[in-house]
Amino acid sequence: MQKIHISELAKYVGQTITLSGWLYNKRSSGKIRFVILRDGTGILQCIVFKGNVSEEIFNLADRLGQESSIEITGTVKEEKRAPGGFEMDVTDLKLISEAHEYPITPKEHGIEFLMDIRHLWLRSSRQVAIMRVRHRIIKAIRDFFDNRGFTLMDAPILTPAACEGTSTLFETPYFDLGKAYLTQSGQLYAEAGAMALGKVYSFGPTFRAEKSKTRRHLTEFWMVEPEVAFNDLYDNMDLAEEFLEYIVQTVLSERAEELKSLERNTSFLEKVKRPFPRIHYDEAVEILKKNGIDFEYGNDLGGTDETVISNQYDRPVMVHHYPVEVKAFYMKRDPNEPSKAMAVDVLAPEGYGEIIGGSQREDNLDLLLQRIKEHNLPQKAFDWYLDLRKYGSVPHSGFGLGIERTVAWICGLEHIRETIPFPRMIYRNTP
Amino acid sequence: MQKIHISELAKYVGQTITLSGWLYNKRSSGKIRFVILRDGTGILQCIVFKGNVSEEIFNLADRLGQESSIEITGTVKEEKRAPGGFEMDVTDLKLISEAHEYPITPKEHGIEFLMDIRHLWLRSSRQVAIMRVRHRIIKAIRDFFDNRGFTLMDAPILTPAACEGTSTLFETPYFDLGKAYLTQSGQLYAEAGAMALGKVYSFGPTFRAEKSKTRRHLTEFWMVEPEVAFNDLYDNMDLAEEFLEYIVQTVLSERAEELKSLERNTSFLEKVKRPFPRIHYDEAVEILKKNGIDFEYGNDLGGTDETVISNQYDRPVMVHHYPVEVKAFYMKRDPNEPSKAMAVDVLAPEGYGEIIGGSQREDNLDLLLQRIKEHNLPQKAFDWYLDLRKYGSVPHSGFGLGIERTVAWICGLEHIRETIPFPRMIYRNTP
């Protein structure tokens, strides 16, 4: 028997069908019981008239607790005023499993309580909407690269060496090989991929054992990292802006209903269209000074600085040419401006801060070796990475986009904890 | 300037274009040098006639070592006999970075040597083909679920409790919360997702700290796990066979060239069409006995047993109703046959063994509690999972498919180590 879902009701108007799901809410009004059904694809108001069903069924509708699982049969009607545009006149109702005292009620709950029952909280319509947006963002990302000739080449999660110090790394014993560390970025591996397949992306979970308790930090988060052989910094910026435009515009058109239910003001999102402003670090510093920010030239941009800068524009802004001191060892210095790295960060509007960080990579073997020494990194751990410069080095660039920050921005969420099914933070690794 | 790739040459026949890439191989013949260029999208034979270029360029073509990076300009010609169907008459050649003594030569190399330089080995045409098939398999998997109303709900990697003993788990210190463990399966979390969104899938890396040194084991591997509310064992089998047929038929048509270059005999793959044979565990045991296998009723099927069974059929075979003793605590017992779990394993043809394992889940709270006790599992760790039965429990089913075993099967590989960019095994976590 073909199962029918709430999302497909338009095909069944006037027909009597059976749906399976959970009681999301209910109301009474004299001889009528309104049963709000959810089935994961949508919400449907089902109307139980006392005269249309047996007394037993009417009493069942009366008695059922929130989140009881039920099978409900009735006739589908169009009803413009109902959420989703349909209603059901119920002729039969069967109980699958009765629930009582479901812990999440329409009243307000504290966030820690909701996080403790994240496995149930996910059933709430707000969380369902966020998960559906998250999925669509991820699909848009993959479609974007798949349609442009990129090959997916996932980086390993277990990595051998603590390349940049162990302080923010999770570590695990690894058989007779000592320790392994959970990856913080797939980039170095993606670079190897780009030398093999030209255009690649890796997409997987990454980890930071950082003691940051902010609303923008998770210890486990997903990241997509494209890497392209023969792309320079400017190609990289072109790719980043085309990419962000595609993601945002796709989600706006494909998840309009969810964004509406999240009460997202989409006016800023609608403006995410190429070209994005591109400003040199020096210009960024000028903006900060003009806005009365006490900023020392040469520093990295902090959260507040990013907000001040992004507030100057109506769309994402790309800041490039950061001082080499604040950027990673593998970034290429601009030959025309050796104090600056050919790096670019993309700052989201509305104070959402950096969502993309990227750069052209150092492709000269000797300069890369020199950087590794300057950063006091263990050269041996990078032998394989240096091979990429030894054998057929080419200019190449890439960037990383954090999925959860992107979800928070597009959904307009205050805190990143709602952007992933089961968030991990320094004080939480359950459920 | 628009970059042109080898995969797009059909659009440029008769035109003079510039390509960037690496010298894959070369040959000499009198006044001709054949430079085989690779750019990640394909291979192209470029012909350098002594009369067409300067002496300097001709000498450069002569001197270049394997994997030197170059920019090459010339006229594109159709040439049916050439790999890819095109050739280039070279008019200019620029060196980007000269390589010498590239460690992988056309001669045979030992596997450990190749694994040590996996970051370079990935450039070989066989590895490129495998990576392109892997990517297409992953895309087919996601498309399959995305086009059928599933929502992606990724499970956490860091999990709180060692649910089934710590012997095969990787563990990491987790701030003040004690230890966290790397997930072995996202299933329990996917079940929570299915109760929220009806049809979900999780897709991510999973980990086994197993001391298995076989050609079928990695310590880090990717798994996709769909979970569907209101699906029973038989719906689950329908889904699994439609899914496998889709993956295999898609890869056959979209990656025919790669399978050919891997010298894959695709006759078995072409037969992967529904319906697949479905046999009860008892029938499987009968087959083993008929084939002279010394098999004790009640045991799990071993690798050899699986091969004997799958050899009876020309397509994947689904074995269901395994003894409860050999299956996980969360699988539902068949009420009509309580000694059997409503489990199904799908065995790939040609001796590739189990690629899918799934079941209908126990949806009765009391029975699930009983199983947890019988298996001596810590009930507290499962409190959240038990909530899924307490609040609106429904019949539900799902399965897991291992990506690397699927890649090995479809590509016809002997060993799983070539199926993932950077494999992790008990004796290897580098590069």
Side-chain angles (χ1 to χ4, degrees):
Chain A
M1 196 190 69
Q2 179 73 27
K3 284 168 191 152
I4 301 170
H5 296 98
I6 293 173
S7 59
E8 306 159 315
L9 289 183
K11 288 188 283 183
Y12 297 97
V13 174
Q15 296 183 41
T16 299
I17 61 161
T18 298
L19 295 168
S20 299
W22 295 266
L23 185 140
Y24 193 56
N25 208 340
K26 63 176 183 178
R27 290 184 292 122
S28 294
S29 172
K31 294 183 173 177
I32 304 178
R33 298 291 172 272
F34 297 94
V35 169
I36 316 297
L37 183 79
R38 67 165 191 88
D39 75 346
T41 74
I43 298 273
L44 178 67
Q45 175 159 285
C46 305
I47 301 163
V48 189
F49 283 101
K50 195 165 184 138
N52 282 359
V53 296
S54 70
E55 200 175 318
E56 200 183 325
I57 288 177
F58 192 78
N59 290 341
L60 179 61
D62 225 17
R63 191 187 78 209
L64 283 177
Q66 193 188 341
E67 285 300 315
S68 293
S69 48
I70 52 179
E71 205 178 276
I72 197 160
T73 303
T75 312
V76 179
K77 293 191 308 183
E78 266 188 289
E79 171 53 71
K80 293 267 180 287
R81 292 162 303 173
F86 302 96
E87 268 184 2
M88 178 184 263
D89 271 338
V90 177
T91 54
D92 199 6
L93 174 65
K94 286 196 185 113
L95 178 66
I96 300 172
S97 175
E98 198 158 351
H100 287 290
E101 297 177 34
Y102 184 69
I104 303 174
T105 58
K107 71 164 185 166
E108 285 274 320
H109 296 281
I111 184 68
E112 285 310 311
F113 174 77
L114 291 170
M115 293 294 284
D116 284 340
I117 51 171
R118 180 67 175 165
H119 54 289
L120 301 176
W121 188 25
L122 288 168
R123 302 180 184 187
S124 303
S125 56
R126 175 180 163 87
Q127 301 305 315
V128 165
I130 295 170
M131 290 302 125
R132 286 176 51 78
V133 172
R134 177 188 168 94
H135 178 200
R136 199 61 190 78
I137 289 171
I138 291 171
K139 178 171 162 50
I141 290 169
R142 293 185 179 267
D143 288 348
F144 179 86
F145 291 121
D146 294 349
N147 293 335
R148 282 161 183 77
F150 285 68
T151 302
L152 173 70
M153 282 191 76
D154 285 315
I157 308 299
L158 295 165
T159 57
C163 296
E164 302 190 51
T166 58
S167 66
T168 61
L169 285 170
F170 290 107
E171 61 178 42
T172 176
Y174 197 86
F175 307 107
D176 300 333
L177 299 176
K179 285 175 179 169
Y181 301 88
L182 300 192
T183 185
Q184 294 197 322
S185 159
Q187 180 204 310
L188 306 193
Y189 293 98
E191 288 185 54
M195 301 303 131
L197 282 121
K199 299 192 271 186
V200 302
Y201 67 105
S202 77
F203 195 158
T206 52
F207 303 85
R208 299 258 162 104
E210 237 177 314
K211 291 204 167 164
S212 298
K213 259 192 178 177
T214 83
R215 62 190 177 83
R216 285 168 56 78
H217 283 89
L218 295 170
T219 57
E220 175 183 318
F221 56 100
W222 288 67
M223 191 146 67
V224 61
E225 296 176 280
E227 190 75 32
V228 184
F230 303 104
N231 262 13
D232 65 16
L233 172 64
Y234 305 95
D235 299 322
N236 206 31
M237 290 200 255
D238 291 347
L239 185 68
E241 70 181 358
E242 188 185 356
F243 175 60
L244 272 189
E245 174 184 303
Y246 178 80
I247 295 171
V248 172
Q249 297 307 321
T250 301
V251 174
L252 277 177
S253 71
E254 301 278 320
R255 288 293 178 270
E257 208 178 298
E258 285 78 7
L259 293 176
K260 198 176 156 198
S261 84
L262 293 167
E263 298 175 345
R264 176 67 166 126
N265 175 348
T266 56
S267 58
F268 263 101
L269 298 176
E270 280 149 22
K271 289 180 191 141
V272 179
K273 297 242 169 103
R274 286 173 288 171
F276 300 167
R278 300 178 180 200
I279 63 171
H280 188 287
Y281 174 84
D282 290 352
E283 284 176 78
V285 173
E286 281 307 309
I287 290 171
L288 293 177
K289 284 190 178 156
K290 265 187 210 153
N291 283 271
I293 305 287
D294 182 25
F295 181 85
E296 193 175 336
Y297 187 92
N299 280 356
D300 201 0
L301 301 178
T304 315
D305 307 325
E306 290 178 349
T307 302
V308 170
I309 293 162
S310 69
N311 279 347
Q312 313 300 310
Y313 304 97
D314 67 349
R315 62 196 72 200
V317 51
M318 307 205 267
V319 183
H320 54 84
H321 281 91
Y322 284 76
V324 290
E325 292 77 13
V326 303
K327 288 293 180 186
F329 75 95
Y330 50 73
M331 295 189 179
K332 188 177 178 67
R333 294 185 187 205
D334 193 330
N336 300 316
E337 196 185 352
S339 68
K340 298 295 187 299
M342 296 176 89
V344 58
D345 284 357
V346 185
L347 312 181
E350 302 171 82
Y352 279 94
E354 184 208 322
I355 43 166
I356 282 182
S359 73
Q360 184 168 342
R361 321 306 188 182
E362 183 51 72
D363 54 332
N364 179 288
L365 178 62
D366 296 328
L367 291 178
L368 187 58
L369 259 169
Q370 198 179 313
R371 299 289 165 267
I372 286 173
K373 280 174 192 154
E374 283 166 8
H375 283 76
N376 289 314
L377 298 170
Q379 192 186 315
K380 208 181 140 27
F382 293 98
D383 273 350
W384 71 268
Y385 184 62
L386 290 163
D387 275 355
L388 307 180
R389 277 67 179 174
K390 210 163 158 186
Y391 303 109
S393 188
V394 302
H396 61 291
S397 300
F399 60 80
L401 171 100
I403 304 309
E404 286 72 23
R405 289 185 180 184
T406 307
V407 176
W409 166 43
I410 293 181
C411 290
L413 307 179
E414 289 248 329
H415 199 294
I416 205 165
R417 67 192 156 211
E418 287 181 69
T419 61
I420 186 167
F422 293 92
R424 297 296 181 241
M425 289 159 286
I426 67 166
Y427 47 87
R428 172 173 299 282
N429 68 350
T430 53
Chain B
M1 195 189 71
Q2 180 73 27
K3 285 169 191 153
I4 300 171
H5 296 98
I6 293 174
S7 59
E8 306 158 315
L9 288 184
K11 288 188 282 180
Y12 297 96
V13 174
Q15 297 182 42
T16 299
I17 60 161
T18 299
L19 295 168
S20 299
W22 296 266
L23 185 141
Y24 193 57
N25 209 342
K26 62 175 184 181
R27 289 183 294 123
S28 294
S29 172
K31 294 183 175 178
I32 304 179
R33 299 294 173 266
F34 298 94
V35 169
I36 317 297
L37 182 79
R38 67 164 192 88
D39 73 347
T41 74
I43 297 272
L44 177 68
Q45 176 160 285
C46 306
I47 302 162
V48 188
F49 283 100
K50 196 166 183 139
N52 284 358
V53 296
S54 70
E55 201 177 318
E56 200 184 325
I57 288 177
F58 192 78
N59 290 340
L60 179 62
D62 226 17
R63 190 187 77 208
L64 283 178
Q66 194 187 338
E67 285 300 314
S68 293
S69 45
I70 51 178
E71 206 179 274
I72 196 161
T73 303
T75 312
V76 180
K77 293 191 309 182
E78 266 187 291
E79 174 51 73
K80 292 266 181 290
R81 294 162 301 174
F86 302 96
E87 267 184 1
M88 179 185 263
D89 270 338
V90 176
T91 55
D92 197 7
L93 173 65
K94 287 199 183 106
L95 177 65
I96 300 172
S97 175
E98 198 158 349
H100 286 290
E101 298 177 33
Y102 184 68
I104 304 174
T105 59
K107 72 164 188 167
E108 286 272 319
H109 297 282
I111 184 68
E112 285 311 309
F113 174 77
L114 291 171
M115 293 294 284
D116 283 340
I117 50 169
R118 179 67 175 166
H119 54 289
L120 300 176
W121 189 23
L122 287 169
R123 301 180 184 188
S124 303
S125 57
R126 175 180 162 86
Q127 301 306 314
V128 165
I130 295 170
M131 288 304 125
R132 285 176 51 79
V133 172
R134 177 189 168 93
H135 178 198
R136 200 59 189 81
I137 289 171
I138 291 171
K139 179 171 159 53
I141 289 169
R142 292 185 179 266
D143 287 348
F144 179 87
F145 292 122
D146 293 349
N147 293 335
R148 282 161 181 78
F150 285 68
T151 302
L152 173 70
M153 282 190 78
D154 285 316
I157 309 299
L158 295 165
T159 58
C163 295
E164 302 189 52
T166 59
S167 67
T168 61
L169 285 171
F170 290 108
E171 62 179 38
T172 176
Y174 198 85
F175 307 104
D176 300 333
L177 300 176
K179 285 176 178 167
Y181 301 89
L182 299 192
T183 185
Q184 293 197 324
S185 158
Q187 181 204 311
L188 306 193
Y189 292 98
E191 289 185 55
M195 301 303 131
L197 282 121
K199 300 193 270 188
V200 301
Y201 67 105
S202 76
F203 195 157
T206 53
F207 302 85
R208 298 261 161 102
E210 237 177 316
K211 290 203 168 166
S212 298
K213 259 192 180 178
T214 83
R215 61 188 179 84
R216 286 169 54 78
H217 283 89
L218 296 171
T219 56
E220 175 183 319
F221 57 100
W222 288 68
M223 190 146 67
V224 59
E225 297 176 279
E227 190 75 33
V228 184
F230 304 105
N231 262 13
D232 64 17
L233 172 64
Y234 303 95
D235 299 323
N236 205 31
M237 289 200 255
D238 292 347
L239 184 69
E241 72 181 357
E242 188 185 355
F243 176 61
L244 271 189
E245 175 184 301
Y246 178 81
I247 295 171
V248 172
Q249 296 308 320
T250 300
V251 173
L252 277 177
S253 71
E254 302 278 322
R255 289 292 178 270
E257 208 179 296
E258 285 77 7
L259 293 176
K260 198 176 157 198
S261 84
L262 292 167
E263 296 174 346
R264 177 65 168 126
N265 175 347
T266 55
S267 58
F268 264 102
L269 297 176
E270 280 149 21
K271 289 180 192 142
V272 180
K273 297 243 169 104
R274 287 171 289 169
F276 300 165
R278 300 178 180 200
I279 64 171
H280 188 286
Y281 174 84
D282 290 353
E283 285 174 78
V285 173
E286 280 309 307
I287 290 170
L288 293 175
K289 286 193 176 152
K290 264 186 209 153
N291 282 273
I293 305 287
D294 182 25
F295 181 86
E296 192 175 335
Y297 187 93
N299 280 357
D300 201 0
L301 302 178
T304 316
D305 307 324
E306 290 178 348
T307 302
V308 170
I309 292 162
S310 69
N311 281 346
Q312 313 300 310
Y313 304 96
D314 67 349
R315 61 196 73 200
V317 50
M318 305 205 267
V319 183
H320 54 83
H321 280 91
Y322 284 76
V324 291
E325 291 77 12
V326 304
K327 287 293 178 186
F329 76 94
Y330 51 72
M331 295 188 178
K332 189 178 178 67
R333 294 186 185 204
D334 192 333
N336 301 316
E337 198 185 351
S339 68
K340 299 295 188 298
M342 296 176 87
V344 58
D345 284 356
V346 185
L347 312 181
E350 302 170 84
Y352 279 94
E354 184 208 322
I355 42 163
I356 281 182
S359 72
Q360 185 169 340
R361 321 306 187 183
E362 182 53 72
D363 53 333
N364 179 289
L365 178 63
D366 296 329
L367 292 177
L368 187 58
L369 258 169
Q370 198 179 314
R371 298 289 165 268
I372 286 173
K373 281 175 192 152
E374 283 166 11
H375 282 75
N376 289 316
L377 298 170
Q379 191 186 314
K380 206 179 142 29
F382 292 97
D383 275 350
W384 71 269
Y385 184 63
L386 290 163
D387 273 356
L388 308 179
R389 278 64 178 175
K390 211 163 155 186
Y391 302 109
S393 188
V394 302
H396 61 290
S397 298
F399 59 80
L401 171 99
I403 303 309
E404 286 72 23
R405 289 186 180 183
T406 306
V407 176
W409 166 43
I410 293 181
C411 290
L413 307 179
E414 288 245 330
H415 199 294
I416 204 165
R417 66 192 155 211
E418 286 181 70
T419 61
I420 186 167
F422 294 91
R424 297 296 180 242
M425 289 160 288
I426 69 164
Y427 46 87
R428 173 173 297 281
N429 68 350
T430 53

